[in-house]
Amino acid sequence: MTVFVIRRLSQSLFVLLVTSVIVFTGIYAVGNPIDILLAPDATFAEREQAIRALGLDRPMWEQYGTFLWNALHGDLGRSFVFNQPSIDLILNRMPATLELAFVALAMSLAIGIPLGLWAGLKPGSALDETVMTGSILGFSLPNFWQGMMLIMIFSVWLGWLPSSGRGELGTFLGFRTSLTTWSGISHLILPAINLALFKISLVIRLTRSGVRETMPLDFVKFARAKGLSERRIVSVHVLKNIMIPIVTVVGVEFGSIIAFAIVTETIFAWPGMGKLLIDSIMRLDRPVVVAYLLVVVTLFIVINFVVDILYSLLDPRIRLGSAV
């Protein structure tokens, strides 16, 4: 376990270093934020002063060296637009994004696993065909189009749910969350559904495939020979076996939910990190964009590490030392 942790930490630090070089070079080489931050009638002296104040007059390698040194001390730069530490802006928006991602993940598991089990236990039936057709639609429909259709149907036509914002927040265990008030929940439903639809389709297919592969195996036949009920065979033996690939894939996909919540947050004006990223790109707020990308990469690394641990717990035959 110790060797595994040290190896993964070393790999993670190397990935973060390489990512920081690529991201910093790519972001700081594009555009000129001075053109957006200053008025068009600004004098040459004012432009030069702003360039020096932001450190944009120095060579790229020197800017990166300063950024890396500050990053090692927890400083990912100050926002050009808000004049605040970039990491503070991101951390202030992170709870909203994590809340949306967790709810979307919970929806995908709560809906996808039962439907996948149901379809896998009745292959070739009308139910199986219906579920699999629905999963194809979930894979195929563009995320932004889904969001607009959800707003049109449930907000504009029916007027059941709000179309934007986060609603009223409450406090639970010291955390501010939308899940403690009806206003917050009603604002959360549509963006969470929009973010979860693709993952529901993925979980359905993973579960169905796992059930179809597991049911003919010898240990299932042995369980039937012992006289166990079909419900117990499915809920204990089959489900435990198929959860290994589901946990692995869904764990990694949780990182993509966070990273790709940008479209959903933009459509529904959800005040999360994705909305902040879009606003920062439009304003060429380079420190915020770089900080966001590094935070997301760090989240991916942490999530993959947790998935490896869960993978070994679900299947003791897997050694952590070889799980890298």
Side-chain angles (χ1 to χ4, degrees):
M1 180 60 138
T2 303
V3 174
F4 169 76
V5 172
I6 294 175
R7 187 185 307 170
R8 286 302 300 269
L9 287 176
S10 302
Q11 293 174 346
S12 301
L13 291 175
F14 178 74
V15 169
L16 279 176
L17 179 62
V18 173
T19 303
S20 69
V21 173
I22 296 174
V23 169
F24 188 91
T25 304
I27 297 300
Y28 275 73
V30 176
N32 185 3
I34 298 300
D35 295 335
I36 296 178
L37 295 175
L38 295 184
D41 58 350
T43 64
F44 179 79
E46 290 173 337
R47 292 177 62 87
E48 289 295 314
Q49 182 180 0
I51 290 173
R52 287 194 299 271
L54 297 178
L56 301 178
D57 57 327
R58 293 176 293 172
M60 182 70 68
W61 65 267
E62 186 177 340
Q63 293 183 50
Y64 174 74
T66 302
F67 166 80
L68 184 60
W69 175 256
N70 292 334
L72 294 175
H73 295 79
D75 180 10
L76 295 179
R78 296 184 70 86
S79 167
F80 292 164
V81 176
F82 299 100
N83 195 28
Q84 297 179 25
S86 300
I87 190 65
D88 290 348
L89 290 172
I90 293 171
L91 293 180
N92 288 337
R93 301 289 191 98
M94 185 181 289
T97 297
L98 291 179
E99 179 181 79
L100 180 61
F102 274 117
V103 172
L105 181 64
M107 281 184 175
S108 65
L109 294 175
I111 298 173
I113 291 178
L115 288 179
L117 276 173
W118 206 357
L121 294 173
K122 299 180 182 296
S125 64
L127 172 67
D128 181 32
E129 297 295 333
T130 302
V131 171
M132 295 310 293
T133 300
S135 69
I136 293 174
L137 288 175
F139 277 122
S140 305
L141 297 178
N143 192 253
F144 68 89
W145 184 85
Q146 289 174 177
M148 292 188 293
M149 290 300 102
L150 288 173
I151 292 175
M152 181 179 295
I153 295 171
F154 293 101
S155 297
V156 179
W157 290 353
L158 299 176
W160 290 353
L161 296 169
S163 62
S164 62
R166 196 179 176 192
E168 182 182 349
L169 304 182
T171 303
F172 179 72
L173 298 178
F175 295 98
R176 300 284 290 168
T177 175
S178 305
L179 299 174
T180 57
T181 66
W182 169 244
S183 173
I185 293 174
S186 63
H187 282 78
L188 180 61
I189 291 175
L190 289 185
I193 291 175
N194 188 59
L195 195 57
L197 284 175
F198 180 87
K199 307 306 176 186
I200 290 173
S201 301
L202 177 63
V203 173
I204 286 174
R205 288 185 167 269
L206 285 172
T207 305
R208 182 186 183 278
S209 175
V211 171
R212 298 304 304 144
E213 292 175 359
T214 304
M215 292 302 289
L217 297 181
D218 290 339
F219 74 89
V220 175
K221 297 177 182 178
F222 181 71
R224 286 201 183 100
K226 289 172 60 179
L228 297 180
S229 65
E230 198 70 17
R231 180 186 296 271
R232 180 170 177 79
I233 291 173
V234 172
S235 61
V236 176
H237 299 281
V238 175
L239 189 59
K240 182 179 180 180
N241 190 71
I242 67 175
M243 284 303 294
I244 295 175
I246 291 176
V247 167
T248 304
V249 174
V250 171
V252 175
E253 286 295 317
F254 180 68
S256 70
I257 291 177
I258 296 174
F260 300 113
I262 298 172
V263 175
T264 296
E265 290 185 358
T266 303
I267 293 173
F268 293 92
W270 186 262
M273 295 190 299
K275 184 70 165 56
L276 175 65
L277 175 65
I278 294 297
D279 294 340
S280 300
I281 291 175
M282 297 299 293
R283 299 175 180 179
L284 287 181
D285 198 350
R286 292 171 172 175
V288 176
V289 176
V290 172
Y292 169 85
L293 294 174
L294 292 180
V295 167
V296 169
V297 170
T298 303
L299 287 175
F300 264 99
I301 291 172
V302 172
I303 290 169
N304 286 335
F305 179 80
V306 173
V307 168
D308 284 341
I309 299 296
L310 292 177
Y311 196 78
S312 66
L313 293 177
L314 287 171
D315 190 349
R317 297 171 299 176
I318 300 172
R319 295 181 179 273
L320 283 177
S322 60
V324 181

